[in-house]
Amino acid sequence: MIYTLTQPMSPSPGLHSAGVSPVVSPVVSPNVSPVTTVSPMSLTPGIMHLINYGDKDLGLLLSQRMELVWHGEFERLFAQYFPHSWQLIPTFNPPTDGWRIFKDSAKVRFSCQDCGHGWTSMKGRVIFWFNLNYGANSGLVMFKLYGQQCQRCKNGKYEHAMWYPEEVVKVLGNVYNRVGQIYYGFVRPPLRIDRRAGKPRNQHNAELCQACKDGLCREEWSFS
Ligand SMILES: [Zn+2]
Ligand SMILES: [Zn+2]
């Protein structure tokens, strides 16, 4: 079973409105601090046991647990922004004006659903869009994971990226810190740029990469 992104829900009208007021004085909660380094020991046991699998063993187990890892880690981090309630939503249709945009990269794994060919890429791309609605005390983080085509089939179909749990933890820590920088007074919070070890044999093929096709693959990180 391959984890596929659920269809995006439409965000509440309040959050979607273009009239997002600029941050004048961010509310700094004394209990909130940036994520610095995440050692494996600090991960919850539910995530921990997934990390020691080699590339070859990953497939099924990882994809089945993927949604759990994304949402579990997000909840763990963003609960610290209480009383604001933050929500993580996958999307295929990025929002337009008034959203902060953060792009991050990771080592990811692909598996072709037609021929079974598997490959690893250091250029797994994720884009987050986030926005805090002060009036509603709620924030939204939308994200899109970019796919790649199978080089054997070249069938025009982008396979979904399978994300290693430690890479999910990394990028969620990074977006948590960017949110903190914008809304909670974090001063130059760290950005983790490490990758899971191992060098894929294959070169990055722009023809087969969805992020390349959208013109979003060139830099490893961006924030605006
Ligand atoms: Zn294939
Ligand atoms: Zn690319």
Side-chain angles (χ1 to χ4, degrees), residues 142-153:
M142 301 177 89
F143 74 107
K144 179 173 176 176
L145 304 177
Y146 288 81
Q148 293 182 10
Q149 283 181 51
C150 174
Q151 62 168 6
R152 293 187 188 163
C153 298

Side-chain angles (χ1 to χ4, degrees), residues 123 125 148 204-206 209-213 216-218:
K123 292 178 186 279
R125 307 298 196 207
Q148 293 182 10
H204 187 62
N205 187 336
C209 170
Q210 187 180 23
C212 279
K213 180 174 165 277
L216 298 168
C217 203
R218 198 149 7 136

Side-chain angles (χ1 to χ4, degrees), residues 33-39 77 170 173-174 176-177 189-192 194:
S33 58
V35 175
T36 48
T37 49
V38 181
S39 73
L77 288 173
K170 178 189 77 180
N174 282 342
Y176 167 84
N177 280 349
L191 176 74
R192 279 185 60 196
D194 55 294

